[in-house]
Amino acid sequence: AQSVSQHNHHVILSEAASLELGCNYSYGGTVNLFWYVQYPGQHLQLLLKYFSGDPLVKGIKGFEAEFIKSKFSFNLRKPSVQWSDTAEYFCAVNARAGGGNKLTFGTGTQLKVEL
Amino acid sequence: ETGVTQSPTHLIKTRGQQVTLRCSSQSGHNTVSWYQQALGQGPQFIFQYYREEENGRGNFPPRFSGLQFPNYSSELNVNALELDDSALYLCASSSEILAEGAHPAFFGPGTRLTVL
């Protein structure tokens, strides 16, 4: 069974600071990888996804993530955060073979961006 | 804003009761998954329906059951409610399941269930 670890539970940054949120997964096979964001009072939204190809993927709102297979990692980055990025961020994986559309989520990282 | 809708928004039940939650998929999506998100946790997979049949189940007891209808809408039923069932229940829809894996899931706003 796959599992996902997000090491930072709470992150506080000032506007314009750079962001990196860690995500490691545990699974022996091929996976699809996702980052979802949940803004206050809103539903989960897809930020970006990795299925195959270029391990550096770009998502919405200036976010990007890099898949490093040897490290089982899929860290989320943004060069300069904005106050509106305040939200909870979830990393999720899906097992490529036989996983259907089941997503395994990490516990989430609460990001607060201060003005 | 996705096309996935859920009802009701909030629900309060007492221990031992039964509850039915509803979900309408995004147009063109024939796969529905249900997740339970407890406070401070990430969503946990309950089960998935594809073309009206259960297609994958997480680590939840049989008192969690579901249905998918021909129009791809879905229900989640929970019998004999327990206090620990208090959570946000999320529905997610996606398009065809392919052998190589998932299409992104689009989530609804959730139903907040409180069990007293």
Side-chain angles (χ1 to χ4, degrees):
Chain A
Q2 60 262 43
S3 65
V4 178
S5 296
Q6 292 182 243
H7 316 295
N8 316 100
H9 298 295
H10 291 89
V11 173
I12 301 175
L13 294 173
S14 298
E15 267 204 329
S18 64
L19 170 72
E20 181 161 1
L21 301 182
C23 172
N24 286 90
Y25 68 93
S26 172
Y27 183 68
T30 306
V31 294
N32 300 311
L33 297 155
F34 306 85
W35 276 96
Y36 281 86
V37 61
Q38 192 167 31
Y39 296 103
Q42 296 189 27
H43 58 272
L44 272 171
Q45 301 173 41
L46 181 68
L47 258 185
L48 48 78
K49 63 186 185 293
Y50 173 79
F51 283 2
S52 63
D54 188 344
L56 183 63
V57 292
K58 296 190 183 300
I60 61 171
K61 304 186 181 185
F63 286 91
E64 65 178 32
E66 184 176 13
F67 171 50
I68 303 180
K69 188 175 181 180
S70 61
K71 294 185 178 180
F72 297 89
S73 70
F74 190 56
N75 292 354
L76 181 71
R77 299 196 292 250
K78 186 171 183 178
S80 176
V81 294
Q82 299 173 308
W83 178 79
S84 58
D85 293 325
T86 294
E88 189 156 22
Y89 293 80
F90 294 93
C91 181
V93 302
N94 160 262
R96 186 75 65 82
N101 286 356
K102 171 189 173 181
L103 293 170
T104 299
F105 285 85
T107 53
T109 296
Q110 189 73 48
L111 171 66
K112 182 178 180 182
V113 180
E114 297 179 331
L115 294 170
Chain B
E1 186 87 20
T2 72
V4 181
T5 60
Q6 293 186 243
S7 63
T9 307
H10 296 86
L11 203 51
I12 299 175
K13 292 285 190 178
T14 56
R15 200 168 49 180
Q17 285 189 310
Q18 178 266 341
V19 69
T20 297
L21 311 181
R22 294 178 176 82
C23 170
S24 291
S25 305
Q26 182 157 315
S27 177
H29 286 181
N30 57 15
T31 304
V32 174
S33 305
W34 285 91
Y35 291 80
Q36 181 195 67
Q37 187 177 12
L39 205 59
Q41 300 294 317
Q44 287 196 38
F45 177 76
I46 303 174
F47 45 55
Q48 174 178 272
Y49 279 81
Y50 173 63
R51 294 186 175 177
E52 302 177 56
E53 291 192 5
E54 188 177 294
N55 179 274
R57 189 177 183 94
N59 190 26
F60 282 81
R63 58 190 186 83
F64 285 78
S65 63
L67 282 173
Q68 187 181 30
F69 300 99
N71 65 356
Y72 305 129
S73 65
S74 177
E75 285 183 356
L76 164 66
N77 298 289
V78 187
N79 293 321
L81 284 167
E82 300 177 0
L83 298 179
D84 285 348
D85 295 333
S86 294
L88 181 68
Y89 287 84
L90 299 169
C91 169
S93 75
S94 49
S95 56
E96 295 279 343
I97 297 172
L98 300 179
E100 62 266 30
H103 285 254
F106 295 89
F107 285 82
T111 293
R112 174 73 63 186
L113 173 65
T114 302
V115 182
L116 303 175

